[in-house]
Amino acid sequence: MKKQVTLPQKPSSENKLDTKQKKTQKTNYHWPFDLETKHLKKSFGFAILLLITVLASHSTHAQVQSNQGLSISGTVTDNEGPLLGVNIILKGAEVGTTTDNNGNFTFPKALKPNDVLVFTYLGYETQEITITQNTTRLNVVMVIDSIAIRGALEVDTPYKSKRTE
Amino acid sequence: MNLIKLVFILLFVSPSYAQISDFKNTDFRKADSLALAYKGAELTNLLLLSKKLTTNLNTDVEKFRAIYMWVCTNIENDYSLYLKYERKSKRYQNDSLEFNLWQADFKKTVFKTLVEDQKTICTGYAYLVKKLANLAGLECELIHGYGRTSTTDIDKLHVPNHSWNAVKLNNKWYLCDPTWASGKQNAETFGFTFQYNDGYFLAEPKLFAVNHFPADTKWLLLGENPPTFTDFLNAPVIYGKAYTNLKQHNAPQFLNNTVKKHETVTFEYELLSTINCEAVKLIITNGHNNKTIRPNSTTLTNTSLVLEHEFTTTGFYDVHVLIGNDLISTYTFEVKG
C-alpha cells in the first residue's frame, strides 16, 4: 500500500520515465491528467507498471501468510480420558485427520484465523472450534450426547389376543 | 385484496398435515442411488459421509432422503444388544438412578457396536439419521417415545421403548421411523433381514400416531385434539404394510371391541392408491379355527375404503385385515348374544 502512495509523488525515482518526460517538457503539464496522446501513453504505461507492482506486492503478501499459516495440534478427551479416532475436519474442505491412541492430533494443513475445525465422534456432541491468530494447541473435551438408548423391534407376526390363545 | 387474503388464510390455516405427498413431484432416484453408491461406507468419518451423500443434491428433502436411505439400508438391527437392553431395562425399571448409571455404560457399547459392526438398536438408527442430517445442515430431531407392535405387551409399557426422527423440510416438520423401515427380525432365528419399507418415510402423522406416541406430545404434529396416551394404548394393532397401503386408519378406533350378534361392524380406511376390492380379505380366528373370508361388503370411493362385516355366532375373535398378501391391522371382537 505504501508504494501506491509514494510512487506517483516521486516520479523522479523512476529514472526512465523521468528522463523521457524532461525531453518533451511542457508548460501546462499536469500529471497524470495530460490528455495529449503521447503523454497519455506514458501515463498509461506508468499506471500499468504501478498496477503490476501493487499486484505483485499483494500476492507476495498472501504467499507469506499461507507459508506462515498456523500449524495446529492438540488433544481430544472426554470426561474419562483421551479419545481415539475422533474426526477433525476443516469446515468447507475435505482435509482432515483423526486422533491417535493418546487422543493427539496434528492438523495436516496450515490454518488461517477464522478457519473452523469440526470435531465429530459418534455418540458425542459435534464441536466447532474457530481458529484465532493465537491458536497453537487445542485441548478439546467432547461431551457425550445426552440420549437414552431404547429399542423396539419391527415384527410382522400377527397379533394374538390372550383370549384366543 | 380480499381474494388474496382469503388465499393466504386458506394456505396457512387449513390443517394440512406434513407428509410424503407434499413431495409427490420429487424424484428420489438420484438420492437413492447415492445411498446405494456409498453402501458399506465406514462410520468413522461422519462429516465426510454426510457430505458425500448430500453435496450433489439440490433440495433438502433429497438430501434427507439420501441420508435416511443410507442408514436404513446399511445398519442392521442387533438382536443380542436388544435382548441385553430389554433385560436391563426391566431390571432397572423402578430404579432410575441405577437405570441412568447402566445407560451411561450401555451407551458406549451401543456406539462401539454401531461404528465397528454397523449394528444397533432403534436409538442408534434415529441418532445416526439425526447426526448425519445435522452435519448436512438439516434440522432433524431424535424423538423418544412409545412404539407399539403386535408383540408389545401394553400392560408393561411404562417407560419409552422406541426412538424415531422428526425432520424440518421447507419449514414444516415431518416424521419417519428408520428402525422399522430398515427390515425385520425373524421371530424364530432372530436373524435380521434388510427389507426397506418406504411407508415410514415422511409418514402421515395421524397414521404414525396409531403405533407411535412421543414422550413430548408436540411431536405428534397433530395440532388440535391430539390423541391421548390412553387412545394410543387402546388403538388397534397396525403393521408395517399398513404404511405402504394406508394414508389413514379411521375405524375401528380400538383394538378391543364388543358387539352384538348380527350387528354390522364397519372398517374405514383412506388408501394411498386405488386397489382391487377383491384383494381385501379378513382372517377371523377364535383360537381354534382360522377362516379367511371376504367382508360382507367392500366399497371403494376414490381412495376411501369401507368394509362391513357381521358376526353370526357369539364368541371371542381376532380379526386381521389383509389387502392382497399385506397384513394391515388387527382388532378383537367379543360377540355377545
Side-chain angles (χ1 to χ4, degrees), chain A residues 148-150, chain B residues 122-123 126 142-145 161-165 177-179:
Chain A
I149 303 292
R150 329 237 175 234
Chain B
C122 66
T123 307
L142 182 67
I143 312 296
H144 287 298
N161 65 339
H162 192 41
S163 312
W164 56 93
N165 293 105
D177 186 338
T179 314

Side-chain angles (χ1 to χ4, degrees), chain B residues 46-100:
Chain B
L46 292 184
L47 187 61
L48 201 62
L49 177 61
S50 167
K51 222 173 158 172
K52 281 175 177 168
L53 288 169
T54 57
T55 31
N56 288 325
L57 298 169
N58 298 324
T59 61
D60 282 355
V61 65
E62 284 176 278
K63 287 179 184 186
F64 183 70
R65 170 71 173 204
I67 288 169
Y68 176 83
M69 185 59 101
W70 188 89
V71 172
C72 289
T73 51
N74 281 275
I75 306 300
E76 268 186 62
N77 211 323
D78 188 333
Y79 195 72
S80 64
L81 203 60
Y82 171 72
L83 288 181
K84 207 184 273 180
Y85 160 79
E86 244 208 339
R87 219 168 36 234
K88 295 279 185 169
S89 59
K90 255 179 212 155
R91 184 188 299 173
Y92 299 132
Q93 65 176 337
N94 296 320
D95 188 343
S96 64
L97 190 72
E98 278 296 313
F99 180 84
N100 290 340

Side-chain angles (χ1 to χ4, degrees), chain A residues 41-54:
Chain A
K41 259 189 192 166
K42 272 180 195 159
S43 315
F44 188 65
F46 181 72
I48 295 277
L49 194 72
L50 195 72
L51 195 69
I52 290 169
T53 328
V54 169

Side-chain angles (χ1 to χ4, degrees), chain A residues 125-137:
Chain A
E125 285 171 19
T126 300
Q127 280 203 45
E128 294 195 355
I129 290 176
T130 309
I131 302 301
T132 68
Q133 193 69 59
N134 307 320
T135 314
T136 48
R137 242 196 109 66

Side-chain angles (χ1 to χ4, degrees), chain B residues 177-189:
Chain B
D177 186 338
T179 314
W180 290 359
S182 71
K184 288 200 172 63
Q185 213 76 42
N186 186 307
E188 282 134 33
T189 63

Side-chain angles (χ1 to χ4, degrees), chain B residues 163-235:
Chain B
S163 312
W164 56 93
N165 293 105
V167 60
K168 202 175 190 181
L169 302 166
N170 300 338
N171 266 320
K172 225 162 139 185
W173 285 101
Y174 294 84
L175 299 169
C176 52
D177 186 338
T179 314
W180 290 359
S182 71
K184 288 200 172 63
Q185 213 76 42
N186 186 307
E188 282 134 33
T189 63
F190 303 121
F192 178 80
T193 328
F194 280 111
Q195 197 182 81
Y196 177 71
N197 181 339
D198 202 34
Y200 292 110
F201 180 69
L202 315 186
E204 159 67 47
K206 223 176 154 186
L207 184 66
F208 205 77
V210 177
N211 58 358
H212 295 78
F213 197 87
D216 178 350
T217 51
K218 77 169 183 180
W219 293 115
L220 281 166
L221 306 183
L222 285 174
E224 282 172 37
N225 301 323
T228 61
F229 189 57
T230 313
D231 293 337
F232 164 77
L233 292 178
N234 291 334

Side-chain angles (χ1 to χ4, degrees), chain A residues 8-151:
Chain A
Q9 284 171 345
K10 298 176 191 169
S12 58
S13 66
E14 295 283 342
N15 287 333
K16 272 187 184 172
L17 281 173
D18 207 37
T19 42
K20 276 179 192 169
Q21 273 168 6
K22 267 175 190 167
K23 278 177 196 167
T24 55
Q25 201 79 5
K26 269 176 64 183
T27 43
N28 60 345
Y29 177 64
H30 294 297
W31 188 91
F33 304 108
D34 190 349
L35 293 176
E36 208 180 296
T37 345
K38 219 173 161 188
H39 289 103
L40 191 68
K41 259 189 192 166
K42 272 180 195 159
S43 315
F44 188 65
F46 181 72
I48 295 277
L49 194 72
L50 195 72
L51 195 69
I52 290 169
T53 328
V54 169
L55 283 180
S57 77
H58 243 286
S59 68
T60 11
H61 185 67
Q63 233 166 23
V64 168
Q65 197 174 46
S66 78
N67 286 341
Q68 294 178 344
L70 302 154
S71 168
I72 308 285
S73 59
T75 310
V76 185
T77 53
D78 69 354
N79 55 351
E80 286 177 4
L83 284 176
L84 160 74
V86 177
N87 240 278
I88 305 142
I89 276 206
L90 173 59
K91 201 175 188 180
E94 285 197 4
V95 53
T97 185
T98 48
T99 55
D100 65 14
N101 277 325
N102 302 316
N104 293 325
F105 73 94
T106 304
F107 204 75
K109 184 177 178 279
L111 300 172
K112 300 188 299 293
N114 295 324
D115 274 348
V116 176
L117 290 185
V118 186
F119 291 73
T120 52
Y121 195 59
L122 203 72
Y124 290 77
E125 285 171 19
T126 300
Q127 280 203 45
E128 294 195 355
I129 290 176
T130 309
I131 302 301
T132 68
Q133 193 69 59
N134 307 320
T135 314
T136 48
R137 242 196 109 66
L138 289 173
N139 291 315
V140 179
V141 181
M142 300 289 279
V143 181
I144 296 183
D145 268 317
S146 53
I147 53 161
I149 303 292
R150 329 237 175 234

